[in-house]
Amino acid sequence: MMIRFCKIGVLLLFAVLHSGVRGDLGKGAVRHPVEVAHPGADHAGLSECLLVQLRGVDGQSDEFHMDVDSVYCGDHQCAVVPVRLVWDELGFYKRFELEPGIELEKGEGEPFLDTDYEQLHRVLSDRESTLWNVPVEQYTESSESEIDGVSGATVILGKSQYVAGAVWTCFNLWNWANGDVGSIIQEKTAEGCSLDELQRFLKNGSRRYKIFALEALTNRGSYDPDTLEIVLSHSFEERYDLQRLILNYVENAGPNLYFSAIQDVLDEADQRLRVMCLGSLLMTDYEIPKGCCKRLSERLFTWDSYQEIDLLLKIVESKSGSDPAVVSRITRLLDHSNFMIAHRAYWFLIGQKLSLPEEEKLEAFSAEHGNRL
């Protein structure tokens, strides 16, 4: 057995080379035939691949791996070798592995150095890389380049996004490591999770596990009282991405649960979350029930932002006919210290059925601010 390792802050094992890496996978292995699209493939459509799941033992999480070619060689001058990519159970790249005696190559047949392997690991770990967004054609155009002897395409990439002389290999392996396979792994993991496990991920897990749990619960349609309570208790997370996923979960709950949950969240939400909830109410395909706008309008005088009040008035406007109590509250906004809000209320009230005192108040506002309306 031979082990290659590097130091990136701490000692990091990134490539394990041993004779059994392609051999018997043991009883804990589950094989998943899958179809995957890759932007560098020399054929259109999906490629048939074998994704292997290794069950965790002694409390460890599962791992997944897939054997892929090191490169789709655009100029037919590359050395193609097998590479094993390994992901965690949420579909995030962990490491790559090579067979004994196998080396990755750069341009002109130059073998990778230890520093190149370190750099490749960093490249594959960067989910935000722009490697996915580079047209494949640019990797097959030969050019004079000190950065990469194979392709001039590297000139549009930052130096941290590739291994010098091996941009094709980086492009290929990055798209395997961070492409469709990750989503497939999440699906496989979600299929094997119980409801209790997903609830535990949401309560005690890292941000990645919370995101995973929210997406899985939404896809399952898990809206039992316990799950709903746990999800809504996380509505006040500071992270926008988690709030957006929680709102998406609520939006798929059906009309009764949706409107009840939105109202409960609005009672405790900060301004950003209130705007998200009001935007959701404005765009929902559910029929807004009677009484919803009336309850919302009770909050008019506790909100100070134009955006919130504008959204609320748009929600009321989207319903045919306004509750007199709602119109009465909106009329009081004509006295608001923020003229933009008073101005918005004025144009809402135009065309509404008003009582005599409300009409007089509207006319007085128009007379006072006519040149600003």
Side-chain angles (χ1 to χ4, degrees), residues 23-34 50-53 188:
D24 184 14
L25 296 172
K27 295 181 180 180
V30 181
R31 294 163 174 81
H32 302 286
V34 297
L50 182 64
L51 179 65
V52 178
Q53 180 178 5
K188 300 299 181 185

Side-chain angles (χ1 to χ4, degrees), residues 153-172:
T154 48
V155 296
I156 68 172
L157 300 174
K159 289 184 178 181
S160 64
Q161 295 178 293
Y162 64 92
V163 175
V167 67
W168 250 112
T169 298
C170 293
F171 169 81
N172 177 65

Side-chain angles (χ1 to χ4, degrees), residues 19-57:
S19 57
V21 74
R22 301 294 187 266
D24 184 14
L25 296 172
K27 295 181 180 180
V30 181
R31 294 163 174 81
H32 302 286
V34 297
E35 293 184 330
V36 182
H38 190 290
D42 54 5
H43 61 274
L46 303 175
S47 299
E48 295 182 357
C49 306
L50 182 64
L51 179 65
V52 178
Q53 180 178 5
L54 296 179
R55 299 294 191 186
V57 295

